[in-house]
Amino acid sequence: MDSNEFFPPHEGVSLRELAVHLGAELLDSSAGDRIICSVAPLSRAGEGQLCYLRSRKDREELASCRASAILCDASLQSLIPDHIAVLRIATPHTAFAQAGALLHPIAMRPSPFTSQAGGIHPSAFVDPTAKLEPGVEVEPMAVIGARAEIGTGTRIGAGALVGSGVKIGRDCTIAGGASVVASLIGNGVIIHNGARIGQDGFGYAPGPAGMLKIVQIGRVIIQDNVEIGANTTIDRGTMDDTVIGEGTKIDNQVQIAHNVRIGRHCGIVSGVGIAGSTTIGNGVMIGGASGVNGHITVGDGAQIAAMSGVMSDLPPGARVGGVPARPLKDFFRDVAAAMARSDERAKRRGDRNE
């Protein structure tokens, strides 16, 4: 992959300018005029590219690295070959993210499907009662419902649906095929392809003739700078609201049920399911394929390992794993014991077969 037609390289930034932008120290000032155009992994980075070194475990990849510069912290700088300039910074992972945003700005949110520059495509439908600020882009076959309001700088992707009365802030992206109903959305929000926001929550009551549908008349409220992955679903509240806090990042194929409240700057990985009326605090991290029970509270800063089942409240700062979820040290001890028992059973079977 020597070239990338989907995300072409930047026209170029000098290492000197890049160091200032990132707040990094360029150890060899004579390399300041080198031009950086893109980011790349250590194993195949070449001239004009920037990569980063996070751990000594990756040092073998440096043998084939021909990058113009590497981001790393002080503890790793001695591993970098002489022909590669070093940008020293205490937080190389964060700096690499900032560099990527600078060098590949079009990759920071879903790209448009057509070459039309701005405006409303003739094949889109915008209800006459909808209010769109100047600078809103509506791509082919998108539908904007009655009384919807959309702020400047927002793009509605091809085939996306924005329901009646929905309000979307400025500089948002609602990507192709997504649907948004019964929702209020802040500024700088990204909703990826195929996401479903604001549909019915799953609520039924048993009756003599079977399950009776419970009316779902709440909303979804998504605060500023939230990102929601492809094919994720967020149900509207039953009578209250489902709320996603500022800066939270949600991966693909996550299910968030009605009346869930998620705090600020959380990270929720793919395949997670959060049952109804659960409260997630600020800064919570939930690993992939985990399940979180309904009507519980997860405290600020908690960390939940992948494929865990959280059955009851978690205190702030908890670190848990397993099914049912328990403190990580207990989970690891249980796993080790189970592996030991399995090895012993296998040994006994082998002895009997000899």
Side-chain angles (χ1 to χ4, degrees), residues 301-327:
Q303 297 180 22
I304 300 169
M307 302 183 70
S308 297
V310 181
M311 311 304 293
S312 56
D313 293 351
L314 294 180
R319 300 177 71 239
V320 301
V323 181
R326 50 209 183 274

Side-chain angles (χ1 to χ4, degrees), residues 119-286:
I120 300 172
H121 193 275
S123 69
F125 174 80
V126 179
D127 190 275
T129 62
K131 297 179 180 178
L132 277 60
E133 290 185 343
V136 171
E137 181 179 349
V138 184
E139 292 194 82
M141 308 303 290
V143 175
I144 312 297
R147 305 179 311 283
E149 298 180 16
I150 303 175
T152 187
T154 289
R155 182 171 68 244
I156 308 300
L161 306 176
V162 176
S164 299
V166 167
K167 293 179 174 57
I168 300 174
R170 295 173 175 169
D171 300 316
C172 296
T173 300
I174 312 299
S179 62
V180 182
V181 299
S183 298
L184 306 177
I185 296 177
N187 300 318
V189 171
I190 298 173
I191 297 176
H192 285 267
N193 302 322
R196 305 290 179 224
I197 313 297
Q199 61 286 324
D200 276 13
F202 188 75
Y204 296 88
M211 302 293 283
L212 300 176
K213 188 178 183 68
I214 296 174
V215 68
Q216 307 285 305
I217 58 172
R219 307 172 296 182
V220 173
I221 296 176
I222 298 175
Q223 297 178 358
D224 294 352
N225 301 316
V226 168
E227 186 161 357
I228 297 168
N231 295 326
T232 281
T233 56
I234 302 177
D235 298 341
R236 67 177 182 263
T238 302
M239 290 172 286
D240 205 345
D241 296 323
T242 302
V243 179
I244 312 297
E246 175 188 7
T248 283
K249 311 302 181 186
I250 301 172
D251 200 357
N252 305 329
Q253 298 181 319
V254 170
Q255 161 64 22
I256 297 174
H258 55 198
N259 297 2
V260 168
R261 290 178 173 261
I262 296 176
R264 300 167 63 238
H265 305 296
C266 295
I268 301 174
V269 184
S270 62
V272 167
I274 303 176
S277 300
T278 281
T279 298
I280 308 291
N282 299 321
V284 172
M285 300 294 158
I286 306 179

Side-chain angles (χ1 to χ4, degrees), residues 5 9 19-20 24 49 97 103 106 126 165 198 200 217 289 320 335 342 345:
E5 61 185 279
V20 171
Q49 294 184 313
L103 297 169
I106 66 170
V126 179
D200 276 13
I217 58 172
V320 301
V335 169
S342 177
R345 286 193 296 269

Side-chain angles (χ1 to χ4, degrees), residues 8 33 60 70 78 85 195 197 293-294 306 332:
D33 291 331
E60 291 183 3
I70 287 181
S78 62
I197 313 297
N293 198 15
F332 291 146

Side-chain angles (χ1 to χ4, degrees), residues 13-26 87 98:
V13 178
S14 74
L15 261 182
R16 188 177 296 106
E17 294 172 305
L18 185 60
V20 171
H21 178 78
L22 301 177
E25 180 184 0
L26 177 60
L87 289 173
Q98 294 171 321

